[in-house]
């Protein structure tokens, strides 16, 4: 995992009990996870009375550092020992390392789901609806008497968040052969 | 149901008794070819020269015949009704028989061709599939994410269209289940009754 100096500096500040007492540390950590995982989260996530005494620039820096690290760790599926090693290097004490690892463990699944859902993929079929009709006549052909199926596939496009539908008609025989 | 032939149509068809049976049969062949592939004016000229008549007369004769066959096939009129409809033209017994034979021989094919003219949605042609497992992406390593990739071939108005889609195994099972239900519908009493009684 390659992490920038900025992340390292942010963590070093987080490690310092002078800048962040125990309570503030926990709050910031939780705020970082919340920003990433909660779809409803916004900037107000750092608006806690117990964080007011900290310089907002420092607060933002550390929040960004934590979020960046969490994403990198999630991406590489870091285990506890990898996390511990890095945090030790940043001068975290035992207690804070434990806290971080516990929070990470609690949020690991959601994080992986989030990361797994990012990316390009083909249009994804989500559902199918069908209609069975009995064709009697058309303007070109009378006395038809033929059953036919109209199948509609609901498709989701991950990029554009568009939901086109694909509809097509098919006969009974074709439907049977399909699978 | 009898065919209703317009005056103009009857005029065009009036050309047919003027030529002998073999020629009418040939016109019939041209008429069906016309329906299959579209008109070919050069054919008219060749025939006109051989028969010593204007190419316009040949064209009208063939077009009249085409329309007669197409309308009869469209409405799926019975043998008897066809004979009665043609009777009003006052042709000879032999010509009437020839026309009837022409109708019966080509009816199925003409109906198939007409069937392709209906307003249509894309129709299913075929399907190819492939099972993939995603192992990693830029945003997440060490994944095991199975996916079924499907290439759906569709036809619309003669154009071939392909769509490449993907789904996961759980959704695939759901799709299969839904489509099986769709097929089951045909076997229900309701559908069987409809199919039996509407003919």
């Amino acid at each position: 995992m390659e992490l920038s100096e900025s992340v390292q500096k942010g963590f070093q500040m987080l490690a310092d009990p002078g800048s962040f007492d125990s309570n503030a540390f926990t709050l910031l950590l939780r705020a970082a996870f919340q920003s990433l995982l909660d779809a409803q989260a916004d900037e107000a996530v750092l608006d806690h009375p117990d964080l007011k005494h900290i310089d907002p620039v420092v607060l933002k820096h550390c929040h960004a550092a934590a979020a960046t690290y969490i994403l990198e760790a999630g991406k590489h599926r870091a285990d506890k020992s990898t996390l511990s090693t890095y945090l030790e290097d940043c001068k975290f004490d035992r207690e804070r390392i434990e806290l971080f690892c516990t929070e990470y463990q609690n949020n690991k699944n959601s994080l992986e789901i989030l990361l797994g859902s990012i990316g390009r993929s083909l249009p994804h079929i989500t559902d199918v609806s069908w209609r069975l009709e009995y064709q009697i006549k058309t303007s070109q052909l009378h006395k038809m008497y033929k059953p036919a199926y109209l199948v509609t596939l609901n498709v989701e496009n991950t990029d554009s968040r568009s939901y086109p539908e694909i509809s097509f008609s098919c006969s009974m025989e074709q439907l049977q052969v399909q699978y | 149901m009898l065919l209703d032939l317009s005056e103009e149509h009857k005029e065009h068809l009036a050309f047919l008794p003027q030529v002998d049976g073999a020629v009418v049969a040939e016109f019939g062949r041209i008429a069906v070819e016309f329906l299959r592939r579209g008109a070919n004016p050069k054919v008219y000229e060749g025939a006109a020269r051989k028969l010593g008549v204007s190419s316009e007369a040949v064209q009208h004769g063939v077009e009249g015949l085409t329309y007669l066959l197409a309308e009869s096939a469209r409405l799926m009129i019975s043998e008897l009704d066809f004979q009665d409809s043609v009777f009003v033209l006052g042709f000879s017994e032999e010509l009437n028989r020839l026309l009837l034979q022409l109708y019966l021989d080509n009816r199925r094919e003409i109906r198939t061709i007409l069937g392709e003219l209906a307003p249509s949605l894309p129709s299913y042609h075929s399907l190819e599939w492939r099972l993939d497992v995603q192992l990693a992406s830029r945003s997440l390593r060490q994944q095991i994410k199975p996916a079924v990739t499907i290439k759906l071939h569709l036809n619309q108005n003669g154009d071939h269209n392909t769509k490449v889609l993907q789904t996961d195994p759980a959704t695939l099972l759901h799709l299969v289940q839904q489509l099986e239900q769709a097929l089951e519908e045909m076997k229900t009493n309701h559908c069987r009754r409809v199919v039996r009684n509407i003919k």
Side-chain angles (χ1 to χ4, degrees), chain A residues 11-163:
Chain A
F11 266 59
Q12 283 165 345
M13 281 192 270
L14 265 177
D16 176 22
S19 315
F20 284 86
D21 61 49
S22 235
N23 195 23
F25 174 81
T26 313
L27 283 172
L28 186 100
L29 195 57
R30 297 231 169 102
F33 278 103
Q34 202 182 347
S35 310
L36 292 171
L37 299 171
D38 186 356
Q40 256 73 37
D42 55 15
E43 297 118 48
V45 82
L46 290 175
D47 258 351
H48 195 280
D50 288 349
L51 293 172
K52 284 266 185 324
H53 60 282
I54 304 173
D55 175 9
V57 173
V58 169
L59 208 55
K60 280 200 171 159
H61 185 160
C62 295
H63 177 253
T68 308
Y69 183 70
I70 292 167
L71 285 176
E72 276 302 300
K75 178 161 95 180
H76 289 101
R77 304 221 181 216
D79 57 14
K80 189 164 172 188
S81 86
T82 315
L83 295 176
S84 300
T85 313
Y86 184 76
L87 296 174
E88 270 168 28
D89 287 346
C90 295
K91 314 276 193 288
F92 270 47
D93 60 44
R94 225 14 349 192
E95 193 197 325
R96 294 196 178 192
I97 293 179
E98 275 310 307
L99 222 105
F100 190 97
C101 291
T102 312
E103 276 302 306
Y104 184 81
Q105 199 55 39
N106 290 343
N107 290 295
K108 200 159 101 92
N109 278 340
S110 313
L111 186 65
E112 279 168 12
I113 291 172
L114 178 69
L115 290 171
S117 70
I118 299 171
R120 292 281 168 86
S121 68
L122 294 166
H124 194 100
I125 303 175
T126 49
D127 203 355
V128 67
S129 40
W130 54 269
R131 186 176 88 193
L132 171 59
E133 56 188 25
Y134 193 57
Q135 294 174 343
I136 301 178
K137 62 164 78 165
T138 69
S139 53
Q140 301 300 336
L141 210 51
H142 291 209
K143 300 193 191 170
M144 283 179 69
Y145 311 130
K146 190 172 67 147
Y149 284 93
L150 180 61
V151 176
T152 300
L153 296 171
N154 297 92
V155 172
E156 198 179 271
N157 256 332
T158 50
D159 298 352
S160 45
R161 295 204 174 279
S162 66
Y163 301 94

Side-chain angles (χ1 to χ4, degrees), chain A residues 74-77 112 115-119 121-128 130 132 134 136 138-145 147 149-151 153 155 166-170 172 174-176 178-179, chain B residues 74-76 111 114-115 117-118 121-124 127 138-143 145 149-150 152 154 163-168 171 174-176 178-183 185-186 191 194-195 198-199:
Chain A
K75 178 161 95 180
H76 289 101
R77 304 221 181 216
E112 279 168 12
L115 290 171
S117 70
I118 299 171
S121 68
L122 294 166
H124 194 100
I125 303 175
T126 49
D127 203 355
V128 67
W130 54 269
L132 171 59
Y134 193 57
I136 301 178
T138 69
S139 53
Q140 301 300 336
L141 210 51
H142 291 209
K143 300 193 191 170
M144 283 179 69
Y145 311 130
Y149 284 93
L150 180 61
V151 176
L153 296 171
V155 172
I166 298 180
S167 294
F168 58 89
S169 64
C170 66
M172 217 172 116
Q174 287 172 324
L175 201 58
Q176 279 169 327
Q178 260 191 55
Y179 61 93
Chain B
R74 178 170 83 97
L75 299 168
M76 192 70 176
R111 279 178 72 79
L114 290 176
L117 291 173
L121 290 150
S123 70
Y124 174 80
L127 185 134
R138 183 178 166 185
S139 49
L140 188 61
R141 311 291 150 82
Q142 296 172 39
Q143 297 180 44
K145 200 162 154 186
T149 306
I150 295 175
L152 186 61
L154 299 174
K163 298 241 194 268
V164 185
L165 305 164
Q166 208 170 47
T167 189
D168 53 85
T171 309
H174 167 74
L175 297 180
V176 167
Q178 286 297 306
L179 294 177
E180 271 176 346
Q181 272 183 22
L183 277 174
E185 251 335 274
M186 269 309 289
C191 289
V194 169
V195 171
I198 301 185
K199 275 210 196 302

Side-chain angles (χ1 to χ4, degrees), chain B residues 35-46:
Chain B
L35 284 170
R36 271 192 213 123
R37 266 181 260 267
N40 187 357
K42 287 184 248 175
V43 173
Y44 297 145
E45 281 165 32

Side-chain angles (χ1 to χ4, degrees), chain B residues 76-112:
Chain B
M76 192 70 176
I77 60 177
S78 64
E79 266 189 55
L80 201 57
D81 283 344
F82 184 84
Q83 285 173 316
D84 289 343
S85 308
V86 165
F87 187 71
V88 302
L89 297 167
F91 292 166
S92 68
E93 273 265 354
E94 200 194 315
L95 186 54
N96 285 350
R97 229 177 327 158
L98 202 86
L99 290 173
L100 179 63
Q101 202 52 48
L102 215 52
Y103 170 56
L104 293 174
D105 286 344
N106 292 296
R107 177 163 64 177
R108 174 164 293 207
E109 189 184 348
I110 296 176
R111 279 178 72 79
T112 307

